[in-house]
Amino acid sequence: NAGVTQTPKFQVLKTGQSMTLQCAQDMNHEYMSWYRQDPGMGLRLIHYSVGAGITDQGEVPNGYNVSRSTTEDFPLRLLSAAPSQTSVYFCASSYRADRVYGYTFGSGTRLTVV
Amino acid sequence: DAKTTQPTSMDCAEGRAANLPCNHSTISGNEYVYWYRQIHSQGPQYIIHGLKNNETNEMASLIITEDRKSSTLILPHATLRDTAVYYCIVRVASMEYGNKLVFGAGTILRVKS
């Protein structure tokens, strides 16, 4: 049982490049989400999914796309990287999209856009 | 979601109990209290949650006052590895906002030998 696995751990991109941050969980969690964490701004929700085939926008979705073709995987795509997207990205999952359950977070992807 | 107030930082001696307070005076009847922590450079880690009764798991205990306006997270025997930022979160699930977690500034707990 690996929990939530994020890859890569570190990435440097040039402005305008695209890439996909991977997130996989092996706990059969329905709910998956992506957050970014910036100094002084806490965690901000980018996109989330309540099940395979269902995704929705969070509070800072611009510049990012997601898909949920399987229960296990929830990749985050940066369409055209910008320096403002330099951040630490966390994937989190929960058994159900319900307040009763705690979230399991991945170890993060540290992204630098130059 | 109810606003929470936590001390900015606390120190604790290794092996002693760490008691982290949280005020949530505007909590509603259907809001739970959650605690997470974030060790430097790692993802946040869920610790415990509760509604009105005291809760205990392998990591910690959560004491909620009878009026539910405040709570205390207790780490019974703190170790150096417990040094982290601890977040108290009070929330109602709302899919309108993606069931998002709102982390405040939290309490920096420093466990010292």
Side-chain angles (χ1 to χ4, degrees), chain A residues 31 33 35 37 41-43 45 48 50 56-59 90 94 96-108 110, chain B residues 30-32 34 36 38 40-46 49 51 87 91-104:
Chain A
Y31 180 84
S33 56
Y35 287 83
Q37 186 173 34
M41 301 198 70
L43 283 161
L45 180 65
Y48 65 95
V50 298
D56 209 341
Q57 297 181 351
E59 57 185 319
F90 291 105
S94 177
R96 289 179 60 114
D98 185 284
R99 65 180 181 273
V100 177
Y101 297 100
Y103 285 33
T104 301
F105 281 81
S107 58
R110 283 149 185 79
Chain B
N30 59 349
E31 289 181 310
Y32 283 72
Y34 290 81
Y36 285 79
Q38 189 169 23
H40 182 61
S41 299
Q42 296 182 22
Q45 179 186 23
Y46 164 78
H49 73 272
L51 182 63
Y87 298 98
R91 60 191 297 265
V92 173
S94 172
M95 292 315 300
E96 180 180 1
Y97 301 104
N99 210 17
K100 70 177 181 181
L101 293 174
V102 178
F103 285 69

Side-chain angles (χ1 to χ4, degrees), chain A residues 24-92:
Chain A
Q25 52 89 10
D26 61 357
M27 299 171 286
N28 200 31
H29 283 180
E30 287 187 355
Y31 180 84
M32 296 186 74
S33 56
W34 277 100
Y35 287 83
R36 59 177 289 174
Q37 186 173 34
D38 303 294
M41 301 198 70
L43 283 161
R44 291 182 291 171
L45 180 65
I46 305 171
H47 285 285
Y48 65 95
S49 168
V50 298
I54 306 170
T55 64
D56 209 341
Q57 297 181 351
E59 57 185 319
V60 288
N62 292 339
Y64 308 96
N65 274 355
V66 292
S67 61
R68 183 96 181 268
S69 57
T70 66
T71 299
E72 294 78 19
D73 300 298
F74 191 46
L76 177 72
R77 297 183 190 86
L78 278 69
L79 307 175
S80 177
S84 61
Q85 294 179 304
T86 293
S87 186
V88 181
Y89 291 85
F90 291 105
C91 179

